[in-house]
Amino acid sequence: MNPTQTKKWKDLFKNLRLYIIVIITMAIFGIAYLAILQDTLLRNFQELGTALAKSYVAEETSNLTVFETLITFGTNSINAQQKLEKTDEDIESWIGTFYQQMQAVLGASTIDPYAILNGKLIAANPREGDATFDYESAEWYQMAIQAAGDVIFTNVYTDSISGNPVITIAQKCKDSDTVLAFDIFPNNLRVHTNAVQLPERSSYFVCDSAGTLIYHQAIRGRVQDELQDYVSSILVHIQNGSLDAYDTYIDDLDGKRRGVYYYSMPNGWIIIITIPFDTILAQASQFALLLGLVLCLCIGGILLVAWRDLRLSSQVERTNETVRVLGNSYFALYRIDYQKETYEMIKGSDYVREAIPPQGPYSELVNIVGKVIPPDTFTEFQKSFSPESMRNLVARRIRDYGGDFLRRFGDEYRWVNVRILFDESLAPEEVVLCFKEVDQEKQQQLKERELLENALENARRSEKAKHAFFNNMSHDMRTPLNAILGLSQLVRQNSEDPEKVRGYIDRIYFSSRQLLDLVNDILDMSRMEQGKVILNNETFDLKQCIDDCISTFHIQAEAEKKHFTVKYTLFNSTVMGDSLRMNQIMNNLLSNAFKFTSEGDSITVTVKQFEDKDYSQYQIVVQDTGIGMSKEFLPQIFEPYARETTFSSRQISGTGLGMPIVKNLVTQMSGQIHVDSQLGVGTTFTVTVPFTVVREEKRAPEPQNIPTFSLEGRKILLAEDNMINMEIATEILSMNGVEIVQAWNGQEALSQFKASKPFEFDAILMDMQMPQMDGCTAAKNIRSLSRPDARTIPIIAVTANAFAEDIAATTAAGMNAHVSKPIDFNILCQTLEKLLDKK
């Protein structure tokens, strides 16, 4: 072996010894580094998890603030109305409107609102059991009363009526025992907009102050009871402090270790986030694997260790980046020693970094802040964020405190949120002071507040319009009633003069029709507001329909000496649509035109078809040269209950519902209506409605000898508690050959039917409101009888209860039809014919 080779081997062994020393050294350092890395990761994840919990607490608190704002707005409004000595009915009506507006903002199923007003439970969604509900013993009611005007949140409890888990937010009015409450179902609180995502396979829990699980984002396949027990065990460890250390853990339901991070909300709820240890220590596990490869592969291990170190450095940097992202939510961060009254700048805005050093007296930082915020705000800032205030907050264990203020950025002011954050992990007598720009969120809040204020103003205007409507309606209804009563007295006094009596009766009939028109307008508006109006789609002649409607107005025009003309420009007049509702639209428009015109004025109706197509637009223009309307009233013309009061000193009868009814009908027909008017010049209504053109009409079949329907020989059970109504109905039906059996209340009607033979009665006419037993209850009892005709006999509601909800009630009770009082006996006979033929 020559000297060169000897040197080579010496160098080889020297390098080998060096490699071995390097490997051993790296192994020692690697094991030590693994322990340090695990410790670092656990510490970093404790900060990350706590920061995530705080972030989610801020989001959940913001979500609850929406409900607090709404309920405070509601209770303040009720309190204000009570100070104005509004009646319970007024307040109850306002509450109904307020509920509808809330549901328009939040969604129809987000909350279930109700109120306790003068001992009465008012529910937006009435349920069976509301009437007997003992609200005084309810926890939410007691908490609201004790809170004396502060908003309270209950823990999760089981609703006594629905049996579902629910959370109640409630608030007592300032000057009364009225309590407004929202039931919030836990599922509706699951609204997450937080941009910071949880680490992989993490779990998220929200619990109330009693430890009840409100909702969660956890491992699938676990039932609620298992998760509740699991969360309860976590809360026990939190309370005894066994999870405060950064390296503590808890075993999950699968026996896996998890780190636990939590933060409390201002209302006592707690946010819990758990992260699997294998996720937290994933980097350390990879390091251990690489270290083993280093020890096994020597030189390759050195390279792998170098590569591994590079890779770990990148991953550590990514972890640090994640933490920095959390910090980037704030444009300025300072650690404040409130005992020494100093600051340390962790992160500062360009303006502050140029003005003061990274460390220094806290008063310098406060003075710099004062130069970019308004003077009145700065005074409050100095008071709220003084060292003394910080000491008090820490002493009271308030971990998060702050608010919003306007700060100048260059030439503009934007909203900024300032917080004092306190945690035991900080150095003693230190807090974190942080600033975050929230201009976009604040502007959204201000916009939402403006929307609520506008909604309140609209509600006030609607309330004022309804008040005026009821005043006007009282006058308009009393006028024909006064005529009916006065003329009836004249009939009695002049019974021996047939000519006078005939004239009085004609005027009584006219006044009665006028009164009925007023009532029908109110009923139509009620049905439309509840969506109960359904359009019929059938073939009809539009020109003939309009001609039939205006025929009576030609007579009126001659009598009142007004010029009335009609013009048609039609390619096709046979269309598909609802002729009855079209007639109603024309009648309202023409009645309006004649009502507001005087002798010598002109009224013109123009009907035009735009083009000859299968689906055409038809335009109807009703123009008059009457007294017109003011500019101020035009925007309200289609609002219910509104009437013009500025254009004339003469009294105009009507409910103010005619134009809203026309607007509703035109809209349902997919059409549009427009109005132009000027005081002293006149008014023009333009209605444009699409119709499907019917080009070929099938010839009607030759008339056949169909037997004419007759009531002769029919036997009808008549239930009516009013003597006069009973006499009129009995007389008219008897004149048509009907045998009438009278019942003076619902119980008597039920007994009469029970005592009759099966199929003895052909039909039952049933009033709704009667003593002993009402008509709906009687109908239900008849339908439940075990006899062959109980479920098939036609039952017709003949009642003055004519609103949409009344019709729904009679239908639910098993009645076949509904005829409103005053009775139109032609309609009653047609209804009987239809039902008896069907039977």
Side-chain angles (χ1 to χ4, degrees):
M1 183 177 295
N2 57 44
T4 304
Q5 291 179 324
T6 302
K7 185 176 183 301
K8 182 178 179 180
W9 281 105
K10 285 182 179 180
D11 291 337
L12 178 63
F13 282 112
K14 182 179 180 181
N15 290 336
L16 181 60
R17 287 195 300 269
L18 178 62
Y19 291 151
I20 294 173
I21 293 172
V22 169
I23 292 171
I24 294 173
T25 303
M26 291 183 64
I28 295 172
F29 277 97
I31 294 172
Y33 186 78
L34 177 61
I36 294 172
L37 178 61
Q38 288 180 340
D39 188 79
T40 302
L41 289 172
L42 289 172
R43 291 181 183 274
N44 288 344
F45 263 87
Q46 185 187 41
E47 295 179 2
L48 173 62
T50 303
L52 282 172
K54 291 180 181 179
S55 174
Y56 277 86
V57 161
E59 179 185 359
E60 300 294 349
T61 302
S62 177
N63 290 339
L64 294 181
T65 300
V66 174
F67 297 106
E68 291 183 0
T69 302
L70 287 173
I71 200 167
T72 300
F73 172 76
T75 53
N76 288 342
S77 298
I78 293 173
N79 198 67
Q81 293 191 59
Q82 289 176 333
K83 283 186 175 181
L84 294 175
E85 298 183 355
K86 294 284 187 176
T87 64
D88 288 355
E89 289 76 10
D90 290 337
I91 297 175
E92 185 171 341
S93 173
W94 181 90
I95 290 174
T97 302
F98 176 62
Y99 289 162
Q100 294 173 6
Q101 293 167 351
M102 283 196 302
Q103 292 179 355
V105 175
L106 299 176
S109 60
T110 302
I111 63 173
D112 186 13
Y114 48 90
I116 303 300
L117 177 62
N118 291 334
K120 178 182 177 183
L121 188 144
I122 303 169
N125 301 304
R127 299 175 295 181
E128 184 177 355
D130 283 351
T132 59
F133 177 63
D134 182 11
Y135 64 85
E136 291 184 342
S137 63
E139 182 184 9
W140 59 264
Y141 180 81
Q142 296 174 357
M143 291 174 65
I145 294 298
Q146 293 173 1
D150 291 334
V151 178
I152 63 96
F153 282 85
T154 68
N155 290 328
V156 177
Y157 66 94
T158 301
D159 183 56
S160 61
I161 296 178
S162 66
N164 296 323
V166 69
I167 297 168
T168 297
I169 174 175
Q171 186 178 28
K172 173 185 170 296
C173 286
K174 182 178 179 182
D175 299 319
S176 69
D177 286 338
T178 298
V179 174
L180 185 62
F182 302 159
D183 278 353
I184 310 171
F185 300 102
N187 287 340
N188 291 331
L189 290 175
R190 300 184 184 181
V191 181
H192 294 298
T193 58
N194 202 307
V196 181
Q197 298 297 319
L198 295 174
E200 183 181 2
R201 292 183 291 119
S202 299
S203 296
Y204 175 78
F205 304 95
V206 179
C207 303
D208 62 22
S209 60
T212 303
L213 183 60
I214 299 176
Y215 59 87
H216 61 84
Q217 176 186 330
I219 301 173
R220 296 180 179 177
R222 297 293 182 177
V223 298
Q224 184 72 15
D225 291 343
E226 286 183 302
L227 292 174
Q228 179 63 62
D229 292 341
Y230 174 56
V231 171
S232 296
S233 67
I234 293 177
L235 289 172
V236 170
H237 289 289
I238 290 175
Q239 291 169 358
N240 61 29
S242 59
L243 293 176
D244 290 347
Y246 70 92
D247 58 350
T248 55
Y249 61 87
I250 193 169
D251 292 333
D252 63 16
L253 295 174
D254 295 322
K256 304 294 185 180
R257 293 182 178 183
R258 283 179 174 264
V260 178
Y261 313 98
Y262 58 91
Y263 210 81
S264 296
M265 295 173 61
N267 65 347
W269 294 2
I270 187 169
I271 302 293
I272 301 174
I273 297 174
T274 67
I275 306 176
F277 253 43
D278 55 0
T279 297
I280 298 174
L281 300 178
Q283 299 159 1
S285 299
Q286 295 169 1
F287 177 85
L289 178 61
L290 293 174
L291 181 61
L293 292 175
V294 168
L295 297 175
C296 296
L297 300 177
C298 298
I299 297 176
I302 294 175
L303 298 176
L304 289 175
V305 167
W307 174 79
R308 188 279 324 271
D309 286 341
L310 180 63
R311 185 167 181 264
L312 279 181
S313 297
S314 175
Q315 291 176 340
V316 170
E317 178 60 26
R318 286 180 61 83
T319 301
N320 293 334
E321 285 176 355
T322 302
V323 176
R324 283 197 297 271
V325 166
L326 292 175
N328 285 340
S329 297
Y330 300 92
F331 67 79
L333 293 166
Y334 305 91
R335 293 186 69 155
I336 308 299
D337 188 321
Y338 54 82
Q339 191 63 34
K340 297 179 180 178
E341 299 188 7
T342 59
Y343 74 88
E344 177 186 353
M345 187 187 305
I346 307 299
K347 180 182 180 181
S349 65
D350 294 339
Y351 162 74
V352 175
R353 288 200 307 271
E354 293 173 0
I356 58 176
Q359 296 178 345
Y362 179 62
S363 59
E364 291 186 8
L365 175 61
V366 172
N367 290 334
I368 288 298
V369 172
K371 294 179 180 180
V372 290
I373 63 177
D376 54 342
T377 305
F378 180 57
T379 302
E380 184 65 24
F381 182 92
Q382 286 179 305
K383 178 181 177 182
S384 300
F385 298 93
S386 65
E388 181 62 30
S389 176
M390 294 177 186
R391 280 190 286 270
N392 292 335
L393 291 171
V394 172
R396 292 158 51 196
R397 314 293 291 177
I398 296 177
R399 300 175 180 274
D400 189 340
Y401 172 82
D404 301 336
F405 66 93
L406 282 170
R407 180 196 189 276
R408 179 164 49 82
F409 290 85
D411 296 330
E412 65 173 346
Y413 278 91
R414 297 198 293 269
W415 285 98
V416 168
N417 179 265
V418 57
R419 316 298 305 175
I420 290 177
L421 304 178
F422 159 71
D423 191 85
E424 288 80 357
S425 60
L426 295 171
E429 300 174 344
E430 279 195 359
V431 296
V432 173
L433 182 66
C434 47
F435 297 82
K436 178 180 180 181
E437 185 176 336
V438 292
D439 191 70
Q440 185 175 359
E441 296 88 339
K442 191 69 175 181
Q443 294 296 344
Q444 182 65 27
Q445 291 177 7
L446 294 174
K447 187 179 296 183
E448 290 172 354
R449 180 177 179 180
E450 182 180 0
L451 288 174
L452 285 174
E453 290 175 348
N454 290 339
L456 176 60
E457 182 60 28
N458 290 335
R460 287 172 177 166
R461 285 201 300 266
S462 177
E463 184 68 22
K464 183 178 180 181
K466 286 187 178 182
H467 180 71
F469 158 70
F470 283 115
N471 286 339
N472 293 331
M473 187 183 68
S474 174
H475 170 270
D476 293 343
M477 294 185 76
R478 288 175 183 273
T479 299
L481 278 174
N482 181 64
I484 292 169
L485 292 173
L487 291 166
S488 299
Q489 183 66 26
L490 290 174
V491 168
R492 297 178 64 183
Q493 294 173 357
N494 297 274
S495 58
E496 297 179 357
D497 188 340
E499 193 64 31
K500 282 188 176 182
V501 168
R502 188 178 300 108
Y504 294 150
I505 290 176
D506 288 344
R507 279 177 281 175
I508 288 173
Y509 179 75
F510 175 79
S511 297
S512 300
R513 292 299 305 180
Q514 184 182 14
L515 182 60
L516 182 59
D517 288 342
L518 291 172
V519 174
N520 284 339
D521 274 353
I522 298 169
L523 293 177
D524 269 347
M525 201 63 208
S526 171
R527 296 187 186 103
M528 289 176 182
E529 286 178 347
Q530 300 185 37
K532 300 294 185 180
V533 174
I534 300 175
L535 298 178
N536 294 321
N537 196 28
E538 57 189 9
T539 301
F540 75 100
D541 190 317
L542 178 62
K543 183 177 182 300
Q544 185 62 48
C545 173
I546 295 175
D547 283 341
D548 291 343
C549 178
I550 66 178
S551 60
T552 58
F553 289 98
H554 280 296
I555 300 172
Q556 184 177 347
E558 290 180 6
E560 297 177 0
K561 297 181 180 180
K562 299 176 182 177
H563 304 288
F564 182 37
T565 57
V566 183
K567 303 174 184 178
Y568 292 99
T569 305
L570 299 174
F571 303 107
N572 308 92
S573 64
T574 306
V575 296
M576 293 291 293
D578 192 326
S579 60
L580 179 63
R581 294 302 181 183
M582 200 65 220
N583 187 288
Q584 187 177 4
I585 291 171
M586 288 301 302
N587 187 69
N588 271 300
L589 292 175
L590 287 171
S591 296
N592 213 55
F594 274 85
K595 186 185 299 183
F596 297 108
T597 51
S598 303
E599 181 179 335
D601 283 333
S602 298
I603 300 163
T604 304
V605 176
T606 304
V607 183
K608 176 183 177 182
Q609 182 180 356
F610 283 105
E611 50 191 358
D612 185 8
K613 290 187 177 181
D614 292 340
Y615 189 77
S616 294
Q617 296 284 345
Y618 290 79
Q619 186 183 81
I620 301 169
V621 179
V622 178
Q623 184 177 16
D624 67 67
T625 59
I627 55 182
M629 289 175 280
S630 63
K631 291 182 179 179
E632 294 76 16
F633 179 70
L634 274 180
Q636 308 171 37
I637 183 67
F638 297 118
E639 292 182 7
Y641 320 115
R643 287 202 295 191
E644 172 70 286
T645 59
T646 61
F647 55 71
S648 177
S649 60
R650 61 173 174 157
Q651 293 294 323
I652 301 297
S653 62
T655 59
L657 296 177
M659 288 304 103
I661 289 173
V662 169
K663 170 71 171 177
N664 189 288
L665 291 175
V666 170
T667 301
Q668 288 198 64
M669 292 178 178
S670 301
Q672 294 181 339
I673 183 169
H674 177 72
V675 58
D676 289 311
S677 188
Q678 185 176 347
L679 281 176
V681 177
T683 300
T684 301
F685 283 95
T686 303
V687 175
T688 305
V689 181
F691 286 118
T692 300
V693 175
V694 180
R695 297 189 180 276
E696 294 184 6
E697 282 290 328
K698 293 183 179 180
R699 289 187 178 181
E702 294 296 327
Q704 301 176 0
N705 295 324
I706 301 174
T708 303
F709 175 80
S710 174
L711 292 174
E712 185 76 32
R714 302 287 187 171
K715 188 174 183 178
I716 293 178
L717 175 59
L718 175 60
E720 172 64 65
D721 67 320
N722 184 277
M723 184 179 298
I724 295 177
N725 289 341
M726 176 70 85
E727 180 181 355
I728 294 172
T730 301
E731 184 69 23
I732 294 179
L733 290 172
S734 297
M735 290 169 60
N736 285 275
V738 179
E739 180 185 351
I740 295 295
V741 175
Q742 297 179 340
W744 295 92
N745 55 62
Q747 182 62 55
E748 190 173 330
L750 177 60
S751 300
Q752 293 270 22
F753 185 78
K754 284 182 178 180
S756 68
K757 298 177 182 179
F759 302 104
E760 178 180 343
F761 288 111
D762 292 286
I764 300 173
L765 304 183
M766 184 77 73
D767 190 16
M768 281 186 70
Q769 292 185 353
M770 294 184 291
Q772 296 188 33
M773 181 183 291
D774 62 79
C776 288
T777 304
K780 289 179 182 178
N781 288 334
I782 289 173
R783 292 299 189 207
S784 65
L785 294 176
S786 58
R787 50 185 284 170
D789 59 344
R791 303 191 67 82
T792 59
I793 184 170
I795 304 177
I796 302 173
V798 182
T799 174
N801 298 60
F803 286 96
E805 57 267 28
D806 302 315
I807 298 174
T810 58
T811 302
M815 301 193 199
N816 303 91
H818 188 285
V819 177
S820 301
K821 293 178 181 177
I823 301 170
D824 186 326
F825 281 93
N826 290 327
I827 294 177
L828 176 60
C829 289
Q830 291 172 10
T831 304
L832 282 169
E833 177 182 358
K834 178 181 176 182
L835 292 175
L836 292 176
D837 279 350
K838 184 176 180 181
K839 177 184 175 186

